[in-house]
Amino acid sequence: MASSTGFLDRHGDEILKTWASEASRAASARGLSDVELKNLMPICLAALTGGADLKVVMRHIESHLSDRIRWGFEVGEVVEEFAILQRCISSCAASAPADERPSPDELARIFLALQSIMVRTTDSFQMHMQLDEQREKRYLRQLRTLADKALRTPGAPLGEHLKAMLAVIMEAMAAQCAALFLYDPRSELLVTRAAVGLAEDDLQEIVTSLDPATVTGLMATSEEPVAIDDVATTELVVSDALRGSGIHSLLGVRLPRRDRIRGVMYIGTRTQGPFSVRERRRIEALGEGMTLHLENGQLHAELRLRIDELEAERALRERFTAILAHDLRGPLASAKMSAQTLVRLGDRAARPEVVARIERNLERVDLMIRDLLDVSRMEAGQRLPLNIDWCDLREVAEDVVQDLEAQYGPRFAIEADGEFRGMWSRDELRRAVWNLAVNAVKYGRADTQVAIRLARRGGDVRLSVHNFGDPIPAEHREHIFDVFSRRRRAPQAGESWGLGLAFVRACAEAHGGNVEVESATEGTTFTITLPFDARPHQK
């Protein structure tokens, strides 16, 4: 029998050749080059013959493991390489001439030494994996810390917070650049929100679609991480800035992986080649962390906005209450003084103008109180109570114009062809037309007329009030009929409450109609559309 050392020395090349043949067919060998596959076993075999120190062998194994872990190998796949070596040694020993075979004890010592290497390799692998998991947890904790800081400092630019988080992700992935694209549902485009590393400034300018023919579009439409092994040669659409940045490979994920898309995140490396399973899994975990913090940030922003809205609404209500108290004191004080004047005069003189002044001021108080009650109903989601009967809308408009001309002069013109009789509530329509006409005078040019037009349209009637003046900004038109909207400024002392248009809408809707506003350089027109019979809409 030959010694184990002599046997391995004489048959080492044969064993390695057989091992390479069998190992190349194993699943673990897929994607590896010939050098990457064979880089360890000659050293391992030398250790078994005593030609290499075991500590030196373990240093090579550490390097070997580092590569295998980076490429996504499992521990079973790494150990399989040694198991194949053991089978090759056993097969070679069985087929060797009798005088060259090692004794059973010597063969057992070879296998014991090989088993020792396999155990050390497994332990080392597990340690690497634990360290890798701890590393991942550390980076996720850093992301959480940065996200918490962003929530505590809402005044800081969001882009700066996101760049700090991307820098952590870039470090965690050992990458040279990272970029975050957020989805804009209005334009249906992916827009760069933050970028760090190589080509940082150029990456900030990218806007792309969800088309899978683009790099970011493909990432956005895939639930699994998408890897681009070579940016320079890919057929996908890639920005010129990225192609010329020195980045070769990209790995990106959709945020979140499922459900409604929020964005895309990718990292880039200078090295060219495939990404490992571990790297893919890690960017998934980091992407989930980024998604969570984005969603928390959005919820926090929405909550902050709602709180601001409630605070603004409370301040606005307090302001309206103060103006209401002020406005009520005015007509009540005037009516009281007029009444005291009549008491002092007694029967000595008839003063019809004093009585008329009392009536006007008490009517103003009554209108304010009715407005306040109507606003309360509108806030509670209730319709205005209507007293529906036959009503001539043209007479309502003429009645309003007659009252307003006493105050504003002959600035009003009524344009109507034919009769406009219907089943409506006269008092509410009179208040609505009065509000529109007063607004038209207030915001129109002083040297122009206010036109009140009546027209039929199918089974409806349209009443419009037009004034010539500066157009109403679009952002104000959107909420112009709202009650206590935070987008409308609180009235100053002496101004109206600003509830008139809210009442106009409530009146139109209570009749089964609606109100619209059009505003341009040639002026502003408010139009109320009503069915000729409002009774069916009271059920």
Side-chain angles (χ1 to χ4, degrees):
M1 291 286 186
S3 69
S4 59
T5 300
F7 168 74
L8 293 179
D9 285 338
R10 284 191 298 272
H11 295 276
D13 291 342
E14 178 186 348
I15 291 171
L16 288 175
K17 183 177 180 181
T18 305
W19 177 89
S21 176
E22 291 191 23
S24 64
R25 294 194 295 271
S28 60
R30 292 174 186 169
L32 297 181
S33 68
D34 190 59
V35 173
E36 291 167 342
L37 178 64
K38 301 175 181 177
N39 62 353
L40 179 66
M41 288 308 147
I43 300 172
C44 181
L45 197 61
L48 297 177
T49 64
D53 185 84
L54 188 57
K55 291 183 179 179
V56 175
V57 174
M58 288 309 301
R59 284 202 297 270
H60 283 282
I61 287 176
E62 287 290 331
S63 176
H64 179 81
L65 283 176
S66 178
D67 289 338
R68 293 301 192 261
I69 290 172
R70 183 164 56 85
W71 296 331
F73 278 60
E74 301 294 338
V75 65
E77 294 172 321
V78 176
V79 171
E80 183 184 12
E81 297 178 9
F82 296 99
I84 293 173
L85 180 62
Q86 181 173 321
R87 290 199 303 270
C88 291
I89 293 173
S90 178
S91 175
C92 186
S95 62
D99 60 340
E100 295 182 9
R101 294 176 192 169
S103 68
D105 290 342
E106 289 170 329
L107 196 58
R109 282 196 295 271
I110 292 174
F111 292 157
L112 183 62
L114 189 57
Q115 289 290 334
S116 175
I117 291 174
M118 292 167 67
V119 169
R120 292 189 180 208
T121 300
T122 301
D123 291 343
S124 182
F125 188 96
Q126 297 296 345
M127 184 182 67
H128 273 284
M129 295 299 292
Q130 290 173 2
L131 290 174
D132 196 53
E133 289 176 0
Q134 288 301 113
R135 184 168 178 257
E136 184 177 297
K137 290 177 182 177
R138 182 173 75 251
Y139 285 117
L140 287 172
R141 185 168 62 250
Q142 289 182 30
L143 287 181
R144 184 171 64 250
T145 300
L146 290 172
D148 292 343
K149 180 181 178 182
L151 292 179
R152 291 194 301 269
T153 55
L158 176 62
E160 294 304 314
H161 292 306
L162 295 177
K163 288 181 67 173
M165 296 174 76
L166 279 181
V168 170
I169 291 171
M170 184 173 68
E171 181 182 347
M173 297 298 300
Q176 285 73 55
C177 80
L180 173 68
F181 299 78
L182 295 185
Y183 178 67
D184 179 9
R186 291 173 298 180
S187 64
E188 298 184 345
L189 295 173
L190 289 166
V191 181
T192 309
R193 197 63 183 86
V196 294
L198 293 180
E200 176 180 328
D201 295 335
D202 294 328
L203 289 177
Q204 296 281 6
E205 306 299 324
I206 298 177
V207 177
T208 184
S209 70
L210 297 181
D211 185 352
T214 67
V215 166
T216 49
L218 180 60
M219 294 173 180
T221 53
S222 175
E223 293 184 0
E224 301 299 327
V226 172
I228 309 299
D229 292 337
D230 190 354
V231 171
T233 60
T234 180
E235 294 181 357
L236 297 171
V237 177
V238 182
S239 69
D240 293 337
L242 194 57
R243 287 188 190 275
S245 65
I247 293 296
H248 282 290
S249 300
L250 299 177
L251 181 63
V253 288
R254 167 193 169 107
L255 307 179
R257 291 175 59 191
R258 298 176 180 86
D259 302 325
R260 182 169 59 91
I261 185 171
R262 292 188 178 276
V264 165
M265 179 182 74
Y266 68 63
I267 58 94
T269 64
R270 286 195 183 98
T271 58
Q272 181 178 335
F275 289 93
S276 69
V277 174
R278 289 290 301 160
E279 288 172 318
R280 291 168 181 266
R281 202 208 65 76
R282 183 180 298 158
I283 199 171
E284 282 182 337
L286 294 169
E288 289 172 0
M290 177 66 84
T291 300
L292 176 62
H293 300 317
L294 287 174
E295 290 176 346
N296 287 343
Q298 182 178 3
L299 288 174
H300 183 271
E302 290 174 353
L303 179 60
R304 183 71 259 172
L305 178 62
R306 182 57 183 152
I307 291 173
D308 291 344
E309 288 177 343
L310 290 174
E311 290 177 349
E313 185 174 341
R314 177 182 57 79
L316 193 57
R317 288 177 183 274
E318 291 176 354
R319 180 64 177 160
F320 272 114
T321 301
I323 295 297
L324 169 62
H326 175 272
D327 286 353
L328 283 174
R329 283 197 299 268
L332 285 174
S334 178
K336 181 178 180 180
M337 291 176 59
S338 298
Q340 290 173 344
T341 299
L342 288 179
V343 170
R344 287 197 305 271
L345 291 175
D347 295 333
R348 289 177 294 172
R351 302 294 297 272
E353 72 279 5
V354 177
V355 175
R357 185 162 59 247
I358 293 174
E359 289 179 343
R360 285 196 304 273
N361 283 290
L362 291 179
E363 185 177 349
R364 287 177 57 195
V365 172
D366 179 63
L367 182 60
M368 291 178 190
I369 293 174
R370 288 168 66 190
D371 280 348
L372 190 60
L373 292 174
D374 290 338
V375 166
S376 298
R377 292 190 183 98
M378 287 184 275
E379 287 281 78
Q382 302 175 3
R383 284 198 168 195
L384 294 180
L386 302 180
N387 183 21
I388 295 179
D389 203 344
W390 283 108
C391 172
D392 189 322
L393 195 54
R394 180 170 184 163
E395 289 182 0
V396 170
E398 290 173 345
D399 185 31
V400 169
V401 167
Q402 183 177 357
D403 284 354
L404 293 179
E405 283 184 340
Q407 183 176 356
Y408 298 107
R411 291 192 54 188
F412 303 90
I414 297 177
E415 302 174 12
D417 185 13
E419 293 186 354
F420 295 90
R421 287 176 55 80
M423 295 298 293
W424 302 307
S425 178
R426 178 184 177 87
D427 288 346
E428 276 62 41
L429 285 180
R430 186 184 188 283
R431 288 170 61 194
V433 176
W434 190 90
N435 277 324
L436 292 180
V438 168
N439 270 0
V441 172
K442 184 182 300 183
Y443 298 108
R445 290 196 293 268
D447 58 344
T448 60
Q449 276 197 326
V450 173
I452 302 176
R453 301 185 180 96
L454 294 171
R456 293 173 178 266
R457 190 186 65 178
D460 297 333
V461 60
R462 291 167 60 89
L463 182 146
S464 61
V465 178
H466 176 82
N467 72 288
F468 295 94
D470 295 332
I472 303 171
E475 62 271 18
H476 292 170
R477 292 201 299 272
E478 183 180 356
H479 300 279
I480 199 168
F481 297 106
D482 291 353
V483 178
F484 294 130
S485 169
R486 69 182 291 273
R487 295 170 178 80
R488 299 172 63 185
R489 65 181 178 87
Q492 304 300 314
E495 292 184 332
S496 66
W497 302 356
L499 301 177
L501 293 180
F503 172 81
V504 171
R505 180 174 67 178
C507 175
E509 292 177 351
H511 282 86
N514 60 71
V515 61
E516 300 172 325
V517 59
E518 296 179 356
S519 190
T521 55
E522 60 270 18
T524 299
T525 303
F526 287 88
T527 302
I528 299 175
T529 301
L530 302 171
F532 272 92
D533 189 350
R535 289 175 297 182
H537 301 281
Q538 303 311 298
K539 298 178 182 179

